[in-house]
Amino acid sequence: DTTVYINNRPVVMEGERNLLELIRKTGIDLPTFCYQSDLSVYGSCRLCLVEIEGRGIVGSCSTPPEAGMRVHTHTEEIRELRKIAIELFLANHDSNCPTCLKSDDCQLQNLARRLGVDAVRFQSVLVKKPIDNSSPAIIRDPNKCVLCGDCARMCSEIQGIGAIDFAHRGHDAAVLPAFGKKIGEVECVNCGQCTIVCPTGSLCLKPEMEEVWKSLTDKQTYTVAAIAPAVRVAIGEIFGMEAGAVSTGQMLAALKLLGFDQVYDVSFAADLTTIEEGSEFLERRSAGVRLPHFTSCCPAWVKYVEHFHPHLIGNLSTCKSPLQMFGALLKDRLPDLVQIPRERVKVVSITPCTAKKFEAKRPEFTHDGIPDIDHVITTIELGRMIKAAGIQFNDLSPESFDMPFGFSTSAGVIFGNSGGVTEAVLRFTMEKLSNKPLAKLDFVEVRGESGIREASFDIGGSTIRFAIVHGLKNAKMLITKIAAGKCAYDFVEVMACPQGCINGGGQPVNHVYNYKQLRTRGLFTAGKMFHLHKPQDNIMVNECYQQYLGDVGGAKAQQLLHTHYKN
Ligand code: HC1
Ligand code: SF4
């Protein structure tokens, strides 16, 4: 028999790992802070309690279902225990909710409301600790931590880093960076994945909205938006649209209403990157040097290599990320095109990524004291700004990107999901190597959800081997296997965030179980709306080479589009 009785109704087990999963299958969303289906079970928050007849009250996340069990999810005792748990959390919490960065999506607030907590019966025991503001990408407020440990498990189990972990015991227990250091002083790579799973405002992205408002309202400043590929499939979620809804047109209309002078597409720069990086890869391959070629567009991955695998720095592509290429290009080219001095042009990048905040501040990307990208805001921050301005996003008529830097092919758009860079590089290199038009555009062999994927392609009598990785723990596993001679590749794409930028640390939190797949699908749908699909066909990029950059990989391209990371 495989039947369990949930609130007296029969439910058939189908391989669920624990009672919580089985109960959720019946349509009951049990409350929890510390259960994340992608992470190991910790069982600390005691909110998912259920009563099993004959056994008493247990945590459903850590109890496997057994045939014949009779389970009750909301007895009077359980409801009271859950309320007490929430009240204890609140008694040890800095409840400055109206000004908290996570106020829109705080699980503690949501649960307090949902469970009917209308008063806290315990006296506050909060002893305020300093807020850790040391990172360029995230803020850590220990006064809001509920000790669920989701952040620490995300950092170690998915990213393989362990920049934060539990420390001390009893009332002193805390989740902290190692050795009492600040988060900006340890090996944190700024991916922001911990901020996505943190149920409260204890870990948040570091906002830069005020600086952008200043730039937009200063009449002397010419403010340009550079919008990363993955923003268009998530910004709508902030305004009630389903995950993956493509809302490029409304987003552009909103940016114009906010006061941006020009709105450009980072996908343009992604096409440029593919041409530069694809050519660099082919050169390395024919010379047999610096292989495997590792991508370098993900700043969290680059920092990870610098910290943990410095011997691989030489294998990273010398190409700047599309965003940083774009910043350098716009700062160099735009002043002439729009007849405005360089110091008055401000480039604001709008990205799904918290690590881009760190990348923009790297010394490699600052010239004469002026950064190539002036400010980086995330999808979440753009949503806040649109709301703050009172712009009715859902009612906007769609608008389009500005030219010439708003023109892209679908290859530039799919950069925003894991495998997208590889597919774009394939569309470029396979045509180049075969010297004839591509027979097919879609390289479905490199798509998918698995954390480590591989695909080989035969061309001109030889084979090119690709690997695609997302999640830094997977990258670590792949690097170890390569070093042990257990596998070999020519080209390896690494994105730090699970499934790539569509799931970056600056994207809105979404509790729909398949939101990553929906956003990925949205990116491919967005790509289908383009006329052109190969980076080498981007007429505006080609014009840029002819009129301004010169040769691919030439002197001007090297100066603006490439860099060298140092050990
Ligand atoms: Fe990404 Fe990229 S795809 S890194 O995720 O290579 O942020 O979206 O802008 O630079 O193009 C992010 C997204 C982004 C870069 C590009
Ligand atoms: Fe770990 Fe990423 Fe959070 Fe840093 S930002 S603590 S690396 S999960």
Side-chain angles (χ1 to χ4, degrees):
D1 184 21
T2 54
T3 307
V4 174
Y5 295 86
I6 313 276
N7 300 331
N8 298 322
R9 298 183 65 83
V11 183
V12 175
M13 292 187 283
E14 292 171 307
E16 287 80 11
R17 293 171 298 176
N18 50 58
L19 270 177
L20 181 69
E21 279 186 6
L22 189 71
I23 292 166
R24 285 193 170 166
K25 193 173 78 175
T26 69
I28 296 176
D29 181 21
L30 281 189
T32 158
F33 284 146
C34 68
Y35 184 78
Q36 301 275 347
S37 52
D38 294 341
L39 304 176
S40 64
V41 173
Y42 184 53
S44 72
C45 75
R46 313 305 291 162
L47 287 169
C48 69
L49 298 176
V50 293
E51 185 177 327
I52 302 174
E53 286 183 22
R55 264 170 75 173
I57 292 175
V58 298
S60 63
C61 69
S62 46
T63 308
E66 286 167 24
M69 264 182 177
R70 302 194 77 89
V71 182
H72 300 276
T73 63
H74 48 269
T75 64
E76 191 157 349
E77 190 181 0
I78 289 172
R79 289 179 59 242
E80 181 60 14
L81 285 171
R82 287 195 190 128
K83 272 189 172 182
I84 290 174
I86 294 288
E87 288 175 50
L88 287 169
F89 285 127
L90 286 170
N92 194 20
H93 191 87
D94 185 359
S95 300
N96 60 343
C97 305
T99 53
C100 177
L101 281 162
K102 273 270 184 76
S103 209
D104 289 349
D105 192 44
C106 171
Q107 303 284 23
L108 183 56
Q109 268 189 59
N110 293 348
L111 285 183
R113 263 196 304 271
R114 195 177 123 184
L115 302 179
V117 176
D118 41 24
V120 177
R121 288 167 282 182
F122 309 103
Q123 259 201 334
S124 172
V125 289
L126 180 70
V127 182
K128 273 230 189 178
K129 299 179 197 82
I131 293 173
D132 181 350
N133 222 342
S134 58
S135 154
I138 60 176
I139 297 178
R140 203 180 61 80
D141 183 347
N143 307 301
K144 292 178 181 167
C145 181
V146 291
L147 296 176
C148 64
D150 290 355
C151 55
R153 291 198 306 288
M154 172 58 79
C155 195
S156 64
E157 292 175 14
I158 304 291
Q159 299 300 46
I161 294 177
I164 36 178
D165 208 346
F166 279 98
H168 315 306
R169 282 172 184 272
H171 186 258
D172 293 331
V175 180
L176 295 171
F179 311 118
K181 288 188 178 169
K182 293 184 173 168
I183 190 85
E185 297 164 353
V186 295
E187 292 88 355
C188 166
V189 297
N190 306 301
C191 70
Q193 288 296 310
C194 52
T195 69
I196 296 184
V197 290
C198 174
T200 69
S202 190
L203 281 159
C204 292
L205 57 83
K206 191 174 219 171
E208 279 176 64
M209 293 171 284
E210 274 319 307
E211 291 84 342
V212 178
W213 283 120
K214 269 196 200 103
S215 179
L216 289 172
T217 48
D218 175 9
K219 292 199 175 62
Q220 289 302 306
T221 303
Y222 191 83
T223 313
V224 176
I227 304 154
V231 178
R232 69 203 69 195
V233 292
I235 182 78
E237 294 167 29
I238 297 173
F239 300 95
M241 295 181 188
E242 63 179 26
V246 183
S247 51
T248 321
Q250 281 119 310
M251 172 181 73
L252 297 173
L255 288 162
K256 288 282 169 77
L257 281 175
L258 282 172
F260 282 92
D261 293 290
Q262 298 284 321
V263 287
Y264 292 141
D265 195 350
V266 175
S267 311
F268 168 98
D271 282 342
L272 188 62
T273 305
T274 306
I275 294 172
E276 288 292 324
E277 181 159 355
S279 307
E280 180 192 22
F281 166 59
L282 291 180
E283 269 175 35
R284 285 192 194 182
R285 191 169 164 270
S286 43
V289 297
R290 301 167 82 186
L291 295 172
H293 171 114
F294 283 101
T295 58
S296 63
C297 50
C298 170
W301 155 242
V302 170
K303 189 162 190 263
Y304 176 77
V305 171
E306 290 175 320
H307 273 305
F308 297 100
H309 305 281
H311 64 288
L312 290 177
I313 290 176
N315 291 52
L316 289 172
S317 167
T318 63
C319 287
K320 295 179 184 174
S321 72
L323 258 168
Q324 289 303 147
M325 279 195 184
F326 216 17
L329 182 73
L330 290 173
K331 281 285 171 83
D332 203 59
R333 183 75 175 129
L334 210 53
D336 265 357
L337 287 181
V338 296
Q339 292 295 303
I340 302 226
R342 182 183 158 131
E343 25 333 325
R344 283 179 49 204
V345 174
K346 292 257 187 271
V347 179
V348 175
S349 82
I350 301 170
T351 86
C353 171
T354 46
K356 292 281 175 198
K357 290 174 182 280
F358 156 78
E359 184 186 51
K361 292 185 171 64
R362 288 186 69 118
E364 292 89 343
F365 307 130
T366 300
H367 301 100
D368 308 327
I370 304 181
D372 293 335
I373 300 271
D374 296 280
H375 307 298
V376 178
I377 55 167
T378 57
T379 311
I380 294 175
E381 290 161 85
L382 176 61
R384 291 251 169 86
M385 291 181 71
I386 293 171
K387 283 187 178 172
I391 294 168
Q392 302 299 298
F393 191 85
N394 296 297
D395 298 339
L396 296 173
S397 297
E399 294 198 22
S400 50
F401 283 108
D402 291 309
M403 291 297 132
F405 304 114
F407 191 89
S408 101
T409 72
S410 67
V413 175
I414 60 172
F415 255 60
N417 86 95
S418 163
V421 181
T422 305
E423 187 158 348
V425 164
L426 276 161
R427 290 182 193 178
F428 173 74
T429 51
M430 295 306 266
E431 186 160 293
K432 192 141 182 120
L433 287 172
S434 66
N435 236 337
K436 55 177 194 261
L438 274 186
K440 59 161 193 167
L441 280 170
D442 293 338
F443 287 87
V444 291
E445 302 88 335
V446 302
R447 299 180 190 172
E449 287 162 29
S450 157
I452 302 180
R453 310 193 288 284
E454 43 186 36
S456 300
F457 298 87
D458 293 324
I459 182 113
S462 71
T463 303
I464 314 184
R465 298 153 303 174
F466 291 84
I468 299 104
V469 188
H470 57 88
L472 293 173
K473 186 155 184 194
N474 289 329
K476 185 186 204 166
M477 272 160 43
L478 192 83
I479 290 168
T480 311
K481 270 174 80 180
I482 294 173
K486 291 187 180 152
C487 56
Y489 305 99
D490 301 295
F491 184 101
V492 182
E493 170 194 313
V494 185
M495 289 292 184
C497 294
Q499 296 300 321
C501 299
I502 50 112
N503 185 37
Q507 296 281 63
V509 175
N510 194 315
H511 300 289
V512 174
Y513 77 97
N514 61 345
Y515 76 94
K516 290 179 230 153
Q517 288 97 318
L518 293 173
R519 287 181 189 163
T520 298
R521 199 165 74 196
L523 267 196
F524 280 101
T525 306
K528 292 260 182 276
M529 297 175 195
F530 285 76
H531 287 296
L532 302 171
H533 303 283
K534 293 179 273 184
Q536 61 272 36
D537 290 348
N538 187 322
I539 41 181
M540 296 297 180
V541 166
N542 290 336
E543 193 180 283
C544 193
Y545 274 113
Q546 279 153 19
Q547 295 183 352
Y548 168 70
L549 282 170
D551 294 335
V552 174
K556 184 92 177 165
Q558 286 297 334
Q559 176 213 332
L560 285 178
L561 312 179
H562 291 255
T563 188
H564 288 278
Y565 295 107
K566 291 176 213 82
N567 194 340

